[in-house]
Each structure stands twice: as structure tokens, then as C-alpha cells.
Amino acid sequence: MNWIVFDYGDVLSKPSAALPDLAAAMRAPLPEFLPAYWEYRIPYDAGSTPLEYWQAVGDAVGVPVDEALSAELTRIDVEGWGHLEPASLALLEGLAEAGANLALLSNAPIAFGEWVRAQDWARHFRVTLFSGDVRCVKPDAKIFRLLLDELGAEPADCLFFDDRESNVEGARAVGLRAHVWNGADAARAWLD
């Protein structure tokens, strides 16, 4: 095993607590906002612009979105997903200290990828690949092949952790060893 590859959302990070704040900033009821937030997320994760995404969400809830509101919503959204689980961070730090080759593969918009790369903890990753940057999302086989190209690795050289079974199955279909994330302690036990 030459590479350990992690998903970000709900693996390394805590779930976003910003959804109520986003709905409030949009002046939309949370029960109407939530389905729209998730319905248009895949195109956003696949490279659409923040303005395109927030306008689609706004159209769904009947709220016009201009550049200024889009920028504010993007800031709140990125901040919401920006909190690492302490146990996950400790796992990353321990693996990095041990000399493991670490990579990050996440379905996330371009703005979030830019934020991650600016964080101190991102130094633990030799490679970070975000769906928004390559315009395709997990579990599409293409994104796993792009990852392998970036790593210069064969599929069997990679162990991938993701919280979604569909993404784990997508990785396995390309030949990666992959496991559903059940927390840092479970991953540590598996790696040991």
C-alpha cells in the first residue's frame, strides 16, 4: 500500500452546522432551503460557479441571488464545512509523522478546494484533488483514474476511505482498496 486516500466531508470534517445560517442569509425557511441546497450540489461539486449554484438554490426557494449574496453564501458554506474532527486530524498527523503518503479526494466546489489548500493541516497531503477542479464527481470512474494519474500509482497501491458506500463501490470498481469510513478509531485499527 503506497497511498492512503481520504474523502473530506463527514470523514475528516464534522458535518456542516452552517445550513441554518445559509437559509437565514437567504431569508428562506430552512425546510424549503435544505432540499434545494442538496439538489443542486452535484453540479456545483462538478465545477459550476458559486453564482450559478446559489442562483439555482435561490430560484428553487424564490429568492433572487446577486454576486454579493452569492459571495456571502459561499463564505458561510465554506466556513461551515471547515471544521475537522479532532480524531481525524490526530490520525492524519500520526500517519504523516510515520511517513505515509496521504492524498485527499473530495466532491467539493472549486472555492472549497482553494480554502482547503490554504489550511495548515493540508500540508499532510501530498495530493489534493477536488471534483470541482476536474469537473467530475465520485463515484464516476473518471475521477478515480485522474487521482491515480496524479499519484502515479496503480489502483492496488491505494487505500481509500469514504463515508458513502456508492463512492467506495466506485473506487473498488476501478481497483482501489476501499472502505466505508466508520471513524478515525476504526480506520486506525484497520491500518494497524
Side-chain angles (χ1 to χ4, degrees):
M1 176 176 54
N2 295 329
W3 288 92
I4 304 169
V5 183
F6 292 92
D7 176 38
Y8 180 80
D10 297 327
V11 171
L12 299 179
S13 77
K14 297 179 180 183
S16 176
L19 299 178
D21 295 336
L22 288 165
M26 208 171 227
R27 294 186 172 85
L30 186 61
E32 292 176 26
F33 172 80
L34 287 176
Y37 176 88
W38 292 113
E39 180 177 352
Y40 300 102
R41 199 69 185 192
I42 291 177
Y44 188 33
D45 287 347
S48 68
T49 68
L51 183 60
E52 290 167 334
Y53 171 65
W54 294 115
Q55 284 181 335
V57 173
D59 289 347
V61 298
V63 175
V65 176
D66 61 12
E67 286 279 358
L69 181 55
S70 172
E72 177 64 6
L73 293 166
T74 300
R75 183 194 64 74
I76 295 168
D77 192 42
V78 167
E79 184 177 296
W81 286 106
H83 303 282
L84 266 63
E85 283 285 353
S88 296
L89 181 56
L91 175 63
L92 288 179
E93 289 171 344
L95 290 169
E97 276 183 30
N101 293 322
L102 303 178
L104 178 63
L105 175 64
S106 181
N107 283 351
I110 293 167
F112 189 76
E114 291 170 350
W115 179 86
V116 165
R117 290 181 181 114
Q119 303 311 301
D120 182 59
W121 53 262
R123 75 185 188 287
H124 297 308
F125 296 103
R126 296 185 185 193
V127 171
T128 57
L129 185 66
F130 293 92
S131 59
D133 295 329
V134 296
R135 300 196 171 273
C136 66
V137 296
K138 298 176 291 181
D140 189 318
K142 179 181 176 185
I143 197 165
F144 294 106
R145 291 189 187 106
L146 290 168
L147 173 71
L148 292 169
D149 288 347
E150 188 78 19
L151 300 179
E154 294 298 318
D157 296 334
C158 300
L159 174 62
F160 175 62
F161 290 103
D162 197 292
D163 62 307
R164 294 189 180 187
E165 182 68 38
S166 61
N167 294 339
V168 168
E169 291 172 6
R172 288 177 180 160
V174 176
L176 283 76
R177 290 177 292 148
H179 293 282
V180 174
W181 179 259
N182 290 312
D185 290 340
R188 187 177 286 108
W190 197 94
L191 290 164
D192 288 344

